[in-house]
Structure formats: C-alpha cells, structure tokens
Amino acid sequence: MRKFALALAGAAALTVGAAQAADEPSLPKVTWPNDGVFGTFDRASLQRGFQIYKEVCSNCHALQHLHYRDLGPGGPGGGIGFTDEEVKALAEQAQVTDGPNDQGEMFQRPGRPYDPIARPFPNEQAARAANNGALPPDLSLITKAREGGARYVFALLQGYTDPPPDMKMGTGMNYNLYFPGHQIAMPQPLSDGQVTFSDGTPNTLTQEAYDIAAFLTWAAEPTLEVRHRMGTKVFLFLLVLTGLFYVVKRKVWAEVH
Amino acid sequence: MAAAPAKQKSKLVGWIDHRLPIFSFMEHELNEYPTPRNLNYWWNYGSLAGIMLVIMIASGIFLAMAYTPHKDMAFDSVERIMRDVNYGWLLRYIHMNGASMFFVVTYIHIFRGLYFGSYKEPRELLWIIGVVILLTMMATAFMGYVLPWGQMSYWGATVITNLFSAIPLVGDWIVTLLWGGFTVDNPTLNRFFSLHYLLPFVIVGIVVLHLIALHQHGSNNPLGIDRKGPQDSIPFHPYYTVKDLFGLCVFLLVYAAFVFYAPNLLGDPANYIPANPLQTPAEIVPEWYFLPFYAILRSVPNILFIPAKLAGVLAMFGAIGVLFILPWLDRSRVRSATFRPLYKWFFWVLVLDCLVLGYVGANRPEGMFLVLGRIATLWYFFHFLILVPLLGVFERPRPLPTSISSAVLKGAAAPAMEK
Ligand code: HEM
C-alpha cells in the first residue's frame, strides 16, 4: 500500500503545478528571517516596516485588527520591540472620538495604547471617494489573504512599470506586473528614498518593500514566533514519545510474532 | 464472564460494578475483546478517527466560547481568537487543520474497508453506519467552514445551498429553509452555528452504534477470513492499545507539522477576506476534502430530460449512495483483495480515479478538465455499478489460507502482515 502514498504525493504536485498557470510572472524568491521552522522576526526590520506603514500606507490603508498596545511588550507575541513609553507616545499622536461623557456628548481625546490603530477613513464611502472609487483593503491580514503572502506584497510594491503599448488603461489606473489583471487603482506608493529610516538603513525601494512586507507578515500573525517555538517543543516531545511507544510495542508483540 | 471483572482491583470497584456493571463492560469490550492477531497498520485509522472527533469537539467548545455568530462580528471574533484569546491561535489552528486530518484519516479508513472487503457479510450494517458518519461529518465540516464568514465561507455556502434548488417541486422551499431568508445572511450563519455545534454530538451517537456493530463480530483482518478459534485471536489490550498509541504518535507528528509550521497551507487565502455579498471571488472552490465530489457535480451534462444541475446533484449524492448498496453489489465471497487478483488492481485504479477527481475539482470545468472530470466520474460509477458486480462472478480468487494462525505462523501465505 506504499503506492497509495506515492500517488497522493503525485496528485499534490500536479495541483500545485496547475495553480501557477496564470499570466502574472512568478514571484521573486525572497525569504525573511521569520520563514522556516525556527524562523523569528527581525525586530529592526519590523520597526522600519511600521515606519513605512505610518508614513505612507496609513494615508489610505487601515490596520483594523491591531491596537497600539500590540506593538509593545504586552502585545500578542511580544510586539515589534517598542517599549511601553514608545507605544504610549505613539498612541497619543492620534485623536480619538470617545464618549458620551456625563453631559451626553462625544469628545475628542488623545489615543491610548488600548485603542485600535487610527484608520484613515471613517467608512468605506469616504475611502472610495478619496481613491477614485477604489477601496484600499485593510492590511492587517493581507499577507494571509493573498496567494504568495509576503512575497506577493514585496513584488507588488516593486511591480510598477509602463504598460505595454497595446494595453488600454482605465482612468487613474496603474500598470503592475504582479496584480491580477495588471490594472491597479493604487498609485505606486514606494520608491527609492521614499522614507528616511531612523536607524540609517539604506532606503532603496527593495529595502522598503522588504521591510513593509515583514511588518505586514507580523501584523497578520503576531503570534508566529510563539507558534514556531511551541512547535519545536511539541515535536521533540512527540518524537521521544513515538520512540518510547515503538520500543514498548516491539516488546509487547515479541511473543506474538 | 461478564458478571465480574477478571482482576478485581478494589472493594469500591466491586461495589460499583455489582450495581452498575461499567467495569465489567470495559473489561469485556477492551481487555478481553478478542481481536485477530494479524491486523496491520491500516487498522489504526478507526481509532485515529475517534480521537480526531474528540479533538474537534474539545477545541470546538473552547472556540465557541469566544466566537460570535453574527454576520458583522463573526470574522472579527475569529481574528480576536487568533490574537487576543490566550492560545486562541492554537485552538483555531488545531480545529481548522483538525478537520482536514479527520477527513484524511476517515478516507483512508474507508479505502481500507474497500481493499479488505470489510463491508461484506456480516458487517453490512457496520459499513452503512460508517457511511452515515461520513455524510454527517461532511455536513458538519461544511457548516463549520461557513462560521469564520470569510469570502469562501460566504460564497461556498451560496453555491452549495443553491444546489438544493435543483430538486423538483420542493427545491426552492428547502433553500429558503436552509437560508432562513432569501439569501445567505445572518439567519443562515445562526442556524449553521447551531447545527455545527449539534452534529458532532450526533456523530458521537452514531459512532457508538458503529462500535456496537463492530464488537458484534469483531474486526475483519488482512486475510479477510473468519477467526476459527482462540489461536487466531489476541486480546485487544495490551496488543492493540500499544499499537494504536504508537500509530497515534506518528499521526500527531504529521498533524503538529501542519498546526505549527503550515497552518494555512490547506486553506484558501480568500477566507482571510471578510465576506462580501457584492463581490464574487474569481474562483469558488471548496476545501480539499470535498473536491472529488465537487468535480462530479460540475462534470455532469444534461441527461435526457434531467437538467445538468439536477443531474450533477444526483451524481454527487449518488457517489456516496453507491457506498450504501456496495455490500450487495459485490457478489464475491472473498473479502480481502489480497486473494482477488483482478479486484486488487481495480481498487488502485479507483484510488487513482478519486485523486484525479480531486485534481479536477480544484480547476474550472473547461477544456481538458471537463473531459478528464467526465471520464473520471464515469469510471467511478462504472467501478461500483458494473465492474464490482461482474468481478464477483467472473474473477477467480486465489486459494484462501485455512486459518489466520496457520498463515501467520508459517509467514509465507500472509503477504499483508507487517513484520
Ligand atoms: C465533527 C467535528 C467537527 C468538524 C469536522 C468541524 C469543522 C470545522 C471547520 C472546517 C471549521 C472552519 C475552520 C476555519 O476555517 O476557520 C470550523 C469552525 C468552527 N467550529 Fe467546528 N468542527 C467540528 C466540531 C465542532 C464542535 C463540536 C464545535 C463546538 C462545540 C465547533 C465549533 C466551531 C467554531 C466556534 C468554529 C468557528 C471558529 C473558526 O472558524 O475557527 N466545531 N469547524
């Protein structure tokens, strides 16, 4: 019955092959330190990524599943390396509507760590009105919600080129190699020198795309490292247990064979 | 024999057992329960399925504590589980991948039965109860997949519930009943959650029946011949408890690999986009374990006066329907494919056919895929409805060993035995 396993593997390979038969170019083969079985986040890269989000992407995109506190040490998975003070200062930069107070009125106050990260638009209509009718999707799950994940985001941000001469572009649309159908409503958000990193890292487009993709991977699953760490322990435990039961099984069955 | 446990441990146990013979029962069904001595590792999958059911119920109950079945909150509540509930990500990945593992294990369990003829006399009801479990599992998994209310949840629910509208006369009425309205909406989510919570416990009940039927005649075995005496059997405990535990550990390693290192590999990325009734995804595909059935559904053309949609639905349910009557379709008295030189090959062709159907189901029914899907669908029904009955008559089985123990102890005539 070993044939069964082989046939299964064969079928899996076929399915994977078929999934790639689109007209978008294949994604660049980049890796991040958080990939792989023991992968952990590069906190400096995450912080640069957050800086890009804050300075560029947050003009159009929300991160609705994240709160300011998530960036600090108390956040799921231990945050992106900000201290509690940094998180507090960050939150205070935002103005939040709260209330009603005891007069029954809503009021504005500076943000606190437990507030959700401020969104650029109050609702979908406002977002569309500001973006030529297109809706900038929430980015907090984007690397999980797209085939290719972080590699897709990395490629997309660097995929802006001139359209081929025979292609008719819609008004306000931009040509992108990696976007399905190639016409994307988002204007090229990043370019060489777009952000000046506070840690002095060279601000090439590739570096920026790399860091924001890393940050968005974290945003989609802040507990990723915890998962990897626990996985190692569970695996070791199960391996020992498997070995143990194997020995016991041999021993118990010795007299039957 | 059943009156008192063989090895009475304490007075208390004896006192209870005299009034409530629970210990004798366990002693009888687990400890003394005679089992063929030659079961191979394909016999591990039944207990694995049982354990998966327990894992699904346990993880599901904890998920339900933090989940909100409302169309505006369901998606966010699942994300909250992933981020803010302590170990919520673990629970959710266990449950999500657990569904896949449950189906892997169950499908292997079913093909085991097909290969070794476990559906034959006197185990017809045992087999039929198993098929009922499969159907209930499918309903449960389908409704569970709707709960996170992502794009695939919503559109999968729309496509599948719409199938019922193909049924003449009552179709539309059934669809409205499923929806609780005129489209997939909040009432649909509510009733699916309720049923998703209920059905696993129904499965537990059916599993009990499955086990009662199993213990009536005991396990089949790789040779497919009946046990002739005590020399053919060993007690379930410790022999098969330890073997099942070893198998369980190996299985858990695979399961853990998914949960910890590739938790979203088997899922569709589109289900991380909140449901949007105004935007149909480019491809609507069900979870992998439904793909062969989805392929059958979409392969069938108009047949005479039956429109393609209805024909597809009939074929899809028929694909499981044939399993119900399989014990009477197979006329061969030899159970194990080991001794059936032709059936053995056609069994593997059927396995391949199901894999092809799964492959086709993941792709649009156009061009090559449509042709392949139709051929594979035809073969599926040809196998069960024509080939299996004919083989029972025309195939010349190889001679059976006289008894399990003779085959096992000689070693030579027991090709299916593991060393
Ligand atoms: C036969 C056993 C079961 C199967 C096959 C099953 C299957 C599923 C599936 C496929 C999902 C979707 C997972 C996802 O993509 O997120 C799901 C979600 C869910 N299930 Fe189950 N389930 C079972 C038992 C249960 C039980 C007994 C409960 C509750 C007591 C439960 C509660 C939930 C909840 C609350 C969700 C939504 C959260 C989520 O999507 O992760 N399940 N189930």
Side-chain angles (χ1 to χ4, degrees), chain B residues 37-53:
Chain B
R37 59 191 300 158
N38 61 335
L39 299 187
N40 57 29
Y41 277 104
W42 298 107
W43 263 260
N44 278 51
Y45 290 88
S47 74
L48 289 181
I51 289 164
M52 272 322 305
L53 179 61

Side-chain angles (χ1 to χ4, degrees), chain A residues 88-109:
Chain A
K88 205 157 161 258
L90 196 69
E92 276 167 1
Q93 292 170 18
Q95 282 298 308
V96 176
T97 308
D98 201 347
N101 61 14
D102 47 15
Q103 304 301 308
E105 272 145 25
M106 304 302 279
F107 59 93
Q108 294 288 112
R109 62 160 172 81

Side-chain angles (χ1 to χ4, degrees), chain A residues 138-209:
Chain A
D138 183 82
L139 288 187
S140 42
L141 281 167
I142 201 80
T143 61
K144 278 178 159 184
R146 293 290 182 278
E147 211 72 64
R151 282 166 67 205
Y152 169 73
V153 174
F154 177 75
L156 181 82
L157 294 173
Q158 300 178 82
Y160 288 87
T161 60
D162 291 328
D166 54 334
M167 179 141 177
K168 272 217 186 65
M169 302 292 292
T171 39
M173 299 303 262
N174 308 276
Y175 186 81
N176 190 302
L177 284 174
Y178 296 96
F179 190 68
H182 302 302
Q183 299 212 34
I184 185 166
M186 168 166 73
Q188 176 167 1
L190 293 176
S191 52
D192 284 325
Q194 176 91 30
V195 238
T196 308
F197 291 126
S198 43
D199 64 0
T201 305
N203 50 0
T204 58
L205 171 59
T206 310
Q207 183 68 42
E208 291 166 354

Side-chain angles (χ1 to χ4, degrees), chain B residues 63-390:
Chain B
L63 283 174
M65 291 178 189
Y67 169 80
T68 313
H70 186 284
K71 64 173 177 150
D72 295 332
M73 288 179 266
F75 187 91
D76 291 352
S77 78
V78 172
E79 265 318 299
R80 255 184 62 83
I81 293 174
M82 293 295 290
R83 291 157 191 269
D84 294 338
V85 172
N86 287 332
Y87 297 106
W89 59 269
L90 181 59
L91 279 173
R92 203 247 175 155
Y93 282 157
I94 284 177
H95 200 77
M96 214 167 108
N97 289 284
S100 285
M101 293 297 133
F102 200 1
F103 275 95
V104 172
V105 163
T106 308
Y107 284 149
I108 294 179
H109 187 64
I110 293 172
F111 276 105
R112 186 282 314 262
L114 289 176
Y115 188 85
F116 295 107
S118 303
Y119 50 85
K120 292 186 191 184
E121 203 271 333
R123 299 187 182 81
E124 300 94 326
L125 282 182
L126 172 57
W127 170 262
I128 287 176
I129 293 169
V131 182
V132 174
I133 295 177
L134 176 66
L135 276 175
T136 321
M137 264 175 75
M138 289 177 150
T140 310
F142 164 66
M143 292 191 218
Y145 192 64
V146 177
L147 302 185
W149 210 243
Q151 273 289 69
M152 265 320 143
S153 299
Y154 180 88
W155 290 97
T158 305
V159 170
I160 302 299
T161 49
N162 255 314
L163 292 180
F164 290 88
S165 70
I167 303 171
L169 303 177
V170 290
D172 289 330
W173 180 80
I174 294 180
V175 175
T176 310
L177 189 74
L178 284 171
W179 286 345
F182 299 101
T183 154
V184 175
D185 206 338
N186 198 46
T188 324
L189 179 58
N190 275 205
R191 60 194 55 196
F192 278 19
F193 180 50
S194 174
L195 293 174
H196 185 70
Y197 209 134
L198 169 70
L199 287 184
F201 296 92
V202 174
I203 296 180
V204 170
I206 313 176
V207 166
V208 170
L209 293 180
H210 196 65
L211 290 179
I212 294 176
L214 171 69
H215 282 217
Q216 180 72 2
H217 292 283
S219 297
N220 182 28
N221 65 79
L223 296 173
I225 54 177
D226 289 329
R227 282 174 285 133
K228 306 247 159 62
Q231 73 282 6
D232 289 344
S233 307
I234 45 180
F236 189 86
H237 181 75
Y239 296 105
Y240 287 109
T241 30
V242 69
K243 193 170 177 176
D244 277 351
L245 281 170
F246 170 61
L248 173 66
C249 283
V250 175
F251 167 76
L252 286 180
L253 277 167
V254 178
Y255 188 4
F258 278 103
V259 168
F260 292 104
Y261 301 125
N264 295 304
L265 184 68
L266 299 171
D268 194 308
N271 228 26
Y272 280 106
I273 305 171
N276 182 352
L278 301 177
Q279 190 186 30
T280 322
E283 293 294 336
I284 302 176
V285 270
E287 295 280 87
W288 70 266
Y289 38 79
F290 291 136
L291 288 176
F293 300 98
Y294 199 51
I296 293 178
L297 172 76
R298 300 203 293 180
S299 295
V300 183
N302 294 324
I303 299 177
L304 302 176
F305 54 91
I306 309 177
K309 189 172 170 190
L310 178 57
V313 173
L314 289 176
M316 185 174 75
F317 284 107
I320 295 194
V322 291
L323 296 180
F324 279 105
I325 52 169
L326 178 61
W328 295 276
L329 289 173
D330 190 345
R331 311 299 305 162
S332 169
R333 305 251 298 287
V334 176
R335 294 198 190 100
S336 174
T338 312
F339 304 103
R340 301 186 59 188
L342 292 178
Y343 175 78
K344 183 186 201 160
W345 284 104
F346 286 117
F347 168 84
W348 287 109
V349 175
L350 179 72
V351 172
L352 192 73
D353 189 58
C354 292
L355 292 175
V356 169
L357 281 172
Y359 172 52
V360 169
N363 292 280
R364 275 202 201 149
E366 302 164 342
M368 192 257 287
F369 292 114
L370 189 59
V371 179
L372 208 59
R374 288 191 172 158
I375 295 175
T377 303
L378 274 178
W379 182 267
Y380 184 92
F381 287 103
F382 175 74
H383 175 96
F384 284 107
L385 295 177
I386 308 213
L387 209 53
V388 162
L390 285 183

Side-chain angles (χ1 to χ4, degrees), chain A residues 32-43 224-225 228-229:
Chain A
W32 280 265
N34 51 271
D35 293 340
V37 166
F38 300 110
T40 52
F41 289 118
D42 173 355
R43 289 282 181 306
L224 181 142
E225 289 168 316
H228 285 174
R229 275 201 302 273

